[in-house]
């Protein structure tokens, strides 16, 4: 198995000649032009990778950052131009072809890793090596009325534009799903003067991404700020207005109807694995990759939200696999893939971290709290700060921090250095965690 | 057009023109200035857009808020008196800003 593109690529592989209407062949074809795809191209150039790169996306936008879509962009406090990752000049200077609005439907691939990708519009994109940075799509809520106008999802810029376009006319919004996206959007819409109700099917907010105490904190904090949050509540169907075309309300399972001119659904995502399946790559809750971001064929790299990878947290159980949906993972995983494509074996070892801004609540999460057996809560009511530290057998493994960057930074740094923050002294919220960090 | 003069840890200088209203961080990222990572895209969550501002430029800048102050304690290279997070610094027509990027951001 070769990992060096230049060495692996035949000079003129048969079947890769340009055809009429076909763009020039490329060294590396990156399918997916979001965070991980952009980072892969940028990291490769930083490493001196000199093959031509095509960065291909199915949206009609230049690559942009997504996190602001549910927050600043929705509220109109940032311009869309601010979300663009790199200027056109940057891509031109770095020999990266940006292809917009092409959806790849089929890939023919040779055992050496080269091949041709075919788009829905009939274009062909030949490559020597392939990277799948195809992300994930919103999980659909399949209930009656789900196709009514005004029933929306929020995953990409077009979704955000569609939502923004309707906000002006709406008085009542129902958000379905009390996860990060749902709560961020709900907070934004409430700030924009809408009457917002959040329906969460489960018994608490934010599912498994945070612990019980943090979920409770957010429930109380949002309710105190006037958000109507209903736990253990499911939508039975969406009702239509007089025209029959647009949504007018959400009927709950007990028959209650909540008025809604907008219904926003945020109930998780499904990794995009169709192309990987068509290529007969191993797929299991995402595209299965090894520590070097290589898929089961040994040549294709797959990174970011679409990839199922060995758990990168130092000291995690051998063989444990994970799929992470985060900006931080998209970036770190892309760096590993960039090393891999330039022939360097560099394992992904890192402390995952996440953030979510909701109203005036800044949540920062360091590490993964799976398998904790003890928590320590630090609460500074007066200053609105709140942190939960998670422990496994006396060792700190993660933290959820609300408006407490110092705690977040202390835990993130301790985890990265293999240090500990003893639970006893950590329980005093007046003690800076940095001062009690120990070398395990 | 306002210009930001980025000096890297080795002393190499790169001048980048930006638009009034954009942050120093955005200006750096869009042009691929090495030494600015900005993982969180400017939402004051990651402290990877840390810069050292040349002393005589400091007074032209808005004062820092508590959150930026706290985040600066988490930078990869220790903060100094002239440390700022570049996502919090907005370009204005009058601004000609000199900043140095740290050796590492992570």
């Amino acid at each position: 198995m070769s990992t060096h593109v230049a060495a692996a690529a035949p000079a003129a592989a048969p079947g890769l000649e340009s055809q009429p209407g076909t763009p020039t062949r490329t060294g590396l074809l990156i399918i997916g032009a979001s965070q991980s795809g952009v980072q892969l191209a940028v990291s490769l150039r930083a490493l001196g990778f000199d093959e031509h790169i095509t960065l291909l996306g199915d949206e009609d936008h230049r690559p942009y950052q997504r996190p602001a879509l549910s927050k600043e962009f929705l509220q109109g406090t940032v311009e869309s131009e601010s979300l663009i990752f790199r200027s056109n000049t940057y891509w031109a200077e770095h020999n990266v072809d940006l292809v917009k609005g092409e959806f790849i439907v089929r890939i023919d691939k040779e055992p050496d890793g080269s091949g041709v990708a075919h788009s829905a519009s009939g274009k062909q994109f030949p490559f020597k090596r392939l990277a799948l940075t195809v992300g994930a799509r919103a999980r659909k809520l399949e209930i009656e009325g789900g196709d009514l106008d005004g029933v929306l999802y929020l995953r990409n810029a077009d979704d955000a534009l569609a939502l923004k376009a309707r906000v002006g006319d709406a008085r009542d919004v129902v958000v379905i799903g009390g996860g990060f996206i749902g709560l961020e959007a709900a907070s934004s819409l409430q700030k924009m003067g809408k009457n917002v109700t959040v329906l969460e099917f489960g018994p608490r907010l934010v599912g498994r991404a945070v612990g019980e105490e943090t979920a409770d904190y957010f429930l109380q904090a949002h309710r105190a700020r006037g958000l109507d949050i209903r736990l253990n509540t499911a939508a039975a169907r969406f009702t239509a207005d007089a025209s029959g075309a647009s949504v007018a309300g959400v009927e709950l399972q007990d028959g209650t109807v909540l008025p809604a001119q907008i219904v926003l659904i945020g109930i998780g995502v499904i990794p995009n694995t169709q192309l990987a399946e068509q290529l007969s790559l191993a797929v299991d809750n995402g595209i299965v990759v090894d520590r070097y971001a290589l898929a089961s064929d040994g040549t294709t790299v797959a990174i970011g939200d679409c990839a199922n990878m060995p758990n990168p947290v130092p000291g995690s159980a051998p063989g444990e696999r994970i799929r992470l949906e985060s900006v931080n993972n998209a970036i770190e995983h892309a760096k590993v893939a960039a090393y891999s494509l330039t022939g360097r074996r560099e394992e992904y070892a890192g402390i995952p971290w996440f953030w979510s801004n909701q109203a005036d609540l800044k949540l920062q999460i360091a590490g993964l709290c799976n398998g904790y057996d003890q928590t320590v809560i630090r609460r500074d009511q007066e200053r609105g700060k709140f942190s939960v530290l998670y422990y496994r057998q006396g060792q700190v493994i993660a933290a959820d921090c609300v408006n407490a960057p110092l705690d977040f930074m202390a835990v993130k740094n301790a985890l990265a250095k293999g240090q500990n923050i003893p639970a006893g002294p950590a329980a005093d919220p007046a003690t800076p965690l940095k001062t009690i960090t120990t070398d395990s | 057009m306002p210009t930001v003069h980025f000096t890297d840890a080795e002393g190499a200088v790169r001048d980048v023109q930006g638009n009034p209203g954009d942050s120093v961080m955005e200006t750096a990222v869009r042009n691929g200035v090495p030494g600015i990572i900005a993982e969180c895209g400017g939402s004051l969550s990651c402290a990877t857009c840390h810069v050292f501002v040349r002393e005589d430029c400091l007074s032209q800048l808005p004062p820092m808020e508590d959150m930026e102050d706290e985040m600066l304690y988490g930078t990869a290279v220790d903060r100094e008196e002239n440390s700022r997070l570049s996502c919090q610094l907005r370009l204005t027509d009058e601004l000609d800003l000199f900043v140095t990027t740290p050796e590492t951001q992570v």
Side-chain angles (χ1 to χ4, degrees):
Chain A
M1 180 172 68
S2 171
T3 54
H4 195 280
V5 169
L16 287 184
E17 300 309 320
S18 289
Q19 296 170 15
T22 299
T24 36
R25 93 174 40 177
T26 192
L28 177 70
L29 173 64
I30 304 175
I31 302 180
S34 197
Q35 190 97 41
S36 59
V38 166
Q39 185 66 46
L40 179 59
V42 167
S43 291
L44 281 168
R45 288 297 180 244
L47 289 172
F49 179 85
D50 57 8
E51 292 268 352
H52 182 265
I53 295 174
T54 298
L55 179 60
L56 179 149
D58 60 3
E59 296 178 61
D60 279 318
H61 303 283
R62 284 184 288 152
Y64 59 89
Q65 313 186 46
R66 286 172 196 256
L69 295 180
S70 57
K71 303 181 278 275
E72 298 88 348
F73 182 71
L74 185 55
Q75 292 175 47
T77 57
V78 300
E79 296 296 317
S80 52
E81 189 65 22
S82 303
L83 304 184
I84 300 297
F85 273 117
R86 290 287 190 279
S87 64
N88 283 331
T89 317
Y90 175 91
W91 297 121
E93 282 174 357
H94 288 79
N95 194 23
V96 175
D97 261 350
L98 205 58
V99 176
K100 297 186 293 184
E102 292 290 347
F103 182 71
I104 300 299
V105 289
R106 196 183 92 240
I107 300 170
D108 300 325
K109 204 167 66 61
E110 306 296 326
D112 68 358
S114 69
V116 185
H118 304 264
S119 77
S121 72
K123 291 205 179 69
Q124 296 185 15
F125 298 90
F127 58 84
K128 296 179 190 170
R129 283 291 286 269
L130 176 67
L132 296 174
T133 61
V134 289
R137 62 189 182 279
R139 185 186 298 277
K140 300 282 180 193
L141 182 60
E142 308 280 1
I143 59 173
E144 187 188 330
D147 52 0
L148 287 169
D149 201 28
V151 176
L152 304 172
Y153 293 82
L154 184 49
R155 181 71 192 163
N156 60 30
D158 286 334
D159 294 340
L161 289 166
L163 174 57
K164 256 180 117 158
R166 297 189 76 95
V167 164
D169 298 330
R171 189 183 62 246
D172 310 292
V173 179
V174 172
V175 173
I176 299 183
F180 288 143
I181 292 284
L183 290 172
E184 288 172 3
S187 302
S188 297
L189 292 162
Q190 188 192 25
K191 197 170 174 187
M192 295 161 81
K194 307 300 160 190
N195 171 37
V196 183
T197 306
V198 178
L199 308 182
E200 167 55 46
F201 180 71
R204 62 183 175 98
L205 295 177
V206 219
R208 292 170 302 153
V210 300
E212 191 85 31
E213 291 93 347
T214 309
D216 273 350
Y217 182 90
F218 273 88
L219 180 64
Q220 304 308 331
H222 280 304
R223 282 184 172 160
R225 285 160 178 75
L227 209 52
D228 182 357
I229 299 179
R230 305 185 187 194
L231 301 176
N232 302 303
T233 304
R237 65 186 193 98
F238 303 126
T239 61
D241 67 2
S243 75
S246 293
V247 72
V250 178
E251 185 176 319
L252 307 181
Q253 283 176 337
D254 66 4
T256 313
V257 177
L258 303 171
Q261 298 81 50
I262 295 175
V263 173
L264 182 64
I265 301 172
I267 54 171
V269 298
I270 300 169
N272 290 323
T273 55
Q274 303 92 322
L275 288 175
E277 281 160 25
Q278 186 256 308
L279 285 167
S280 300
L281 299 175
V283 167
D284 175 16
N285 179 32
I287 305 167
V288 175
V289 297
D290 66 10
R291 293 195 178 276
Y292 311 105
L294 289 166
S296 58
D297 63 354
T299 57
T300 303
V301 300
I303 54 176
D305 287 15
C306 69
N308 174 338
M309 63 184 175
N311 188 337
V313 179
S316 57
E320 190 178 41
R321 304 190 65 88
I322 196 165
R323 190 174 65 78
L324 290 172
E325 296 159 15
S326 75
V327 168
N328 163 251
N329 178 60
I331 293 173
E332 295 305 321
H333 209 193
K335 291 178 188 169
V336 172
Y339 285 132
S340 201
L341 288 166
T342 51
R344 193 165 137 191
R345 291 299 208 178
E346 199 80 36
E347 290 188 14
Y348 180 8
I351 308 304
W353 77 274
F354 313 83
W355 83 91
S356 175
N357 295 337
Q358 303 165 25
D360 57 335
L361 305 167
K362 175 189 286 295
L363 171 67
Q364 293 166 294
I365 301 175
L368 300 172
C369 67
N370 318 355
Y372 66 90
D373 54 30
Q374 184 189 1
T375 58
V376 167
I377 297 177
R378 292 160 59 83
R379 193 189 292 268
D380 182 343
Q381 208 99 31
E382 205 174 312
R383 300 172 68 194
K385 291 170 184 286
F386 173 86
S387 303
V388 181
L389 275 58
Y390 298 90
Y391 291 84
R392 190 160 52 211
Q393 295 174 341
Q395 168 67 44
V396 68
I397 55 168
D400 303 333
C401 306
V402 183
N403 296 344
L406 288 181
D407 285 3
F408 166 72
M409 290 296 185
V411 174
K412 189 164 167 253
N413 289 338
L415 293 174
K417 292 176 185 160
Q419 297 172 318
N420 199 12
I421 301 174
D428 177 4
T431 302
L433 294 177
K434 209 174 174 177
T435 64
I436 54 169
T437 300
T438 60
D439 287 329
S440 244
Chain B
M1 262 180 148
T3 304
V4 187
H5 310 268
F6 292 94
T7 303
D8 70 17
E10 273 82 51
V13 183
R14 182 160 165 196
D15 298 339
V16 182
Q17 291 201 325
N19 306 311
D22 287 353
S23 71
V24 172
M25 179 278 290
E26 284 164 5
T27 308
V29 168
R30 212 168 295 154
N31 293 282
V33 174
I36 301 282
I37 295 181
E39 215 165 292
C40 77
S43 69
L44 209 47
S45 294
C46 72
T48 62
C49 67
H50 177 203
V51 293
F52 302 106
V53 178
R54 202 173 78 181
E55 301 290 340
D56 62 340
C57 299
L58 280 171
S59 61
Q60 298 170 263
L61 300 173
M64 70 172 88
E65 294 182 11
D66 288 351
M67 200 63 87
E68 181 186 349
D69 191 30
E70 289 203 12
M71 290 298 299
L72 274 168
Y73 284 104
T75 53
V77 171
D78 284 347
R79 74 183 290 177
E80 305 278 349
E81 288 285 313
N82 59 338
S83 286
R84 293 295 303 257
L85 291 180
S86 57
C87 65
Q88 301 302 301
L89 310 177
R90 301 253 155 224
L91 303 188
T92 61
D93 274 324
E94 303 77 44
L95 199 65
D96 205 21
L97 195 60
F98 291 81
V99 302
T100 301
T101 50
E103 198 176 326
T104 178
Q105 292 279 12
V106 289

